[in-house]
Amino acid sequence: MVAYPQVPRYGWARPAHGLEWDCRATAAHLVDDFASYAMNLSSREVHLDEYVPFLEPPRWQPTTPMNLVWPDPAKGTAAIVRCVDATGGLLVAVTATAPPGHLGYHPAGNSDASGFAAMGIVEGAAHAWDVLTAHDLDFRIDDEICERVLNRLFPGATRTGDGSAPPRWSTKY
């Protein structure tokens, strides 16, 4: 069993730090991003003008993101962490095995495997920070990883050298 900071069951309804979404919706958005990135990069039939054409299911509530996948809210923190781990693992597997030069669609610009890996790290770091700091739990990413991701995705962005607050100013929040 993996040890992780325990967000209490009632804590998932708390607003995520600085977002309109609650912590559950923020974690679900991360799960959906990982799955979406993997699907858009893994498709052999390359379409660089749209997402893989799945229908989006209805929103759980008017304030939640539109996602293809949702962690089961009845299963609590362990299920959310398991879903993040599973879709994160899927993204790792797809980025590790994508053929050189293979591109996938993203509305901010089509990318190769290294770009999708970097986008996954940014999303993971930003939304882990959103959820954990909403519960006064410490969060920090490795400064070297942060620098490598910024160099890949945001080469002109100002650097703070502080992995305790992910580079949120470089993303579209």
Side-chain angles (χ1 to χ4, degrees):
M1 183 126 221
V2 176
Y4 50 86
Q6 185 65 36
V7 173
R9 185 178 281 281
Y10 62 83
W12 291 102
R14 179 180 293 176
H17 187 94
L19 298 178
E20 293 180 11
W21 297 335
D22 64 19
C23 289
R24 177 176 285 109
T26 302
H29 168 76
L30 178 59
V31 167
D32 195 69
D33 277 349
F34 286 167
S36 177
Y37 293 170
M39 287 185 285
N40 279 286
L41 183 62
S42 68
S43 178
R44 285 188 233 170
E45 186 178 326
V46 177
H47 288 270
L48 299 177
D49 57 350
E50 66 179 348
Y51 287 115
V52 174
F54 288 102
L55 289 176
E56 292 183 357
R59 293 177 186 225
W60 285 65
Q61 308 170 45
T63 58
T64 61
M66 296 196 59
N67 289 356
L68 292 174
V69 293
W70 282 90
D72 183 349
K75 304 267 181 168
T77 300
I80 291 171
V81 171
R82 185 174 174 198
C83 289
V84 170
D85 182 55
T87 55
L90 178 64
L91 180 58
V92 168
V94 169
T95 59
T97 59
H102 185 76
L103 298 178
Y105 172 77
H106 190 275
N110 300 324
S111 189
D112 64 2
S114 69
F116 276 102
M119 286 185 269
I121 292 168
V122 167
E123 287 288 333
H127 293 310
W129 189 87
D130 296 333
V131 170
L132 295 174
T133 58
H135 292 89
D136 296 321
L137 297 169
D138 290 333
F139 178 77
R140 178 176 192 82
I141 60 171
D142 181 84
D143 291 337
E144 183 180 331
I145 292 172
C146 187
E147 184 68 20
R148 289 176 64 194
V149 167
L150 285 172
N151 288 340
R152 175 62 174 86
L153 297 179
F154 309 106
T158 304
R159 305 299 198 266
T160 65
D162 181 8
S164 64
R168 296 166 53 90
W169 33 259
S170 294
T171 60
K172 291 182 176 182
Y173 266 92

